[in-house]
Amino acid sequence: DVKVTQSSRYLVKRTGEKVFLECVQDMDHENMFWYRQDPGLGLRLIYFSYDVKMKEKGDIPEGYSVSREKKERFSLILESASTNQTSMYLCASSLGGAGNEQFFGPGTRLTVL
Amino acid sequence: GQNIDQPTEMTATEGAIVQINCTYQTSGFNGLFWYQQHAGEAPTFLSYNVLDGLEEKGRFSSFLSRSKGYSYLLLKELQMKDSASYLCAVRSNYGGSQGNLIFGKGTKLSVKP
């Protein structure tokens, strides 16, 4: 079974703090993704990576950065958290190839006060 | 532009059949996915269509018409545990050779006894 794990299920931070969200997958997937999910807006892609040390911006990268130093790990960084970054953050991974589904982690519900 | 439309909410009765529609307009097309997401949980993969026609998988079937930009997910013999959100996602042409997923906002299905 593919397993995608995220470092925290719930996180509360203060405005201006630096926040790290970690994601690890154990199936040697090339591709990794970070999404946020908000009511009425659905899943939106923040950043993705198709290889180690490679990263590309998704649809809403402002205020975020990422790091992929190892194939199995993809980190999302909020340099200075703001209240509008309160959301559910979902990490996903997949094999390369158009027909391969993405496997999602359990999500981190981040609240920024 | 990129746009995926699906109904916001649907209600159906246990044992019945329900069809959840999805229409899309995207920059290119490399396949369509359906995911199921129970409240507070991660999305899980249900089906993938890349060619026109019907794909059947147990109680769930998914249909695709590329010329109409249309798909549906058919759920038969509904069970209470099918109460969840159903996400339609299209793989576009951007985001590397495989293309990224663009998600609809999801359809919340409530199954009543």
Side-chain angles (χ1 to χ4, degrees):
Chain A
D1 264 1
V2 174
K3 220 173 212 165
V4 181
T5 57
Q6 296 183 229
S7 47
S8 307
R9 287 302 302 270
Y10 299 93
L11 209 52
V12 179
K13 295 292 181 179
R14 298 224 171 257
T15 301
E17 280 193 79
K18 191 168 186 174
V19 181
F20 292 87
L21 303 182
E22 305 284 341
C23 175
V24 177
Q25 50 93 5
D26 67 357
M27 285 301 291
D28 204 33
H29 285 172
E30 294 89 352
N31 307 331
M32 296 190 76
F33 308 85
W34 275 107
Y35 296 90
R36 63 178 284 177
Q37 187 173 33
D38 301 287
L41 295 177
L43 277 161
R44 293 180 291 166
L45 182 64
I46 305 170
Y47 265 97
F48 58 97
S49 169
Y50 287 125
D51 203 352
V52 176
K53 297 198 186 288
M54 175 271 179
K55 58 188 177 186
E56 286 195 38
K57 293 179 180 178
D59 299 315
I60 51 164
E62 297 78 18
Y64 304 94
S65 62
V66 289
S67 171
R68 191 157 181 210
E69 295 297 316
K70 293 184 177 181
K71 190 175 185 179
E72 67 271 18
R73 188 179 296 268
F74 193 36
S75 303
L76 180 70
I77 303 150
L78 287 66
E79 295 290 341
S80 177
S82 63
T83 55
N84 63 12
Q85 291 178 311
T86 292
S87 187
M88 171 67 85
Y89 289 88
L90 289 161
C91 174
S93 72
S94 73
L95 287 169
N100 290 302
E101 72 268 30
Q102 292 182 14
F103 293 86
F104 285 84
T108 296
R109 184 162 294 282
L110 173 67
T111 303
V112 183
L113 301 175
Chain B
Q2 322 267 42
N3 194 49
I4 299 180
D5 283 318
Q6 47 182 134
T8 305
E9 292 186 42
M10 297 182 73
T11 302
T13 306
E14 194 175 15
I17 299 173
V18 72
Q19 177 175 313
I20 303 173
N21 295 324
C22 171
T23 57
Y24 63 89
Q25 292 173 309
T26 57
S27 302
F29 178 83
N30 279 332
L32 187 144
F33 294 79
W34 283 96
Y35 283 82
Q36 180 190 59
Q37 186 177 25
H38 285 101
E41 297 183 13
T44 55
F45 169 76
L46 286 177
S47 68
Y48 170 68
N49 295 70
V50 67
L51 299 176
D52 291 351
L54 190 68
E55 293 280 341
E56 295 188 77
K57 218 188 242 188
R59 294 190 299 115
F60 293 8
S61 304
S62 56
F63 172 84
L64 175 67
S65 168
R66 288 171 297 170
S67 62
K68 294 181 179 175
Y70 168 69
S71 173
Y72 67 72
L73 180 69
L74 194 71
L75 292 74
K76 302 176 190 172
E77 300 168 17
L78 279 172
Q79 302 175 10
M80 299 299 290
K81 67 178 182 179
D82 297 330
S83 292
S85 288
Y86 291 85
L87 313 180
C88 172
V90 172
R91 174 157 269 145
S92 70
N93 276 341
Y94 85 97
S97 58
Q98 297 91 354
N100 285 335
L101 290 183
I102 303 163
F103 282 85
K105 292 175 182 163
T107 299
K108 185 177 179 181
L109 174 67
S110 298
V111 180
K112 303 205 179 299

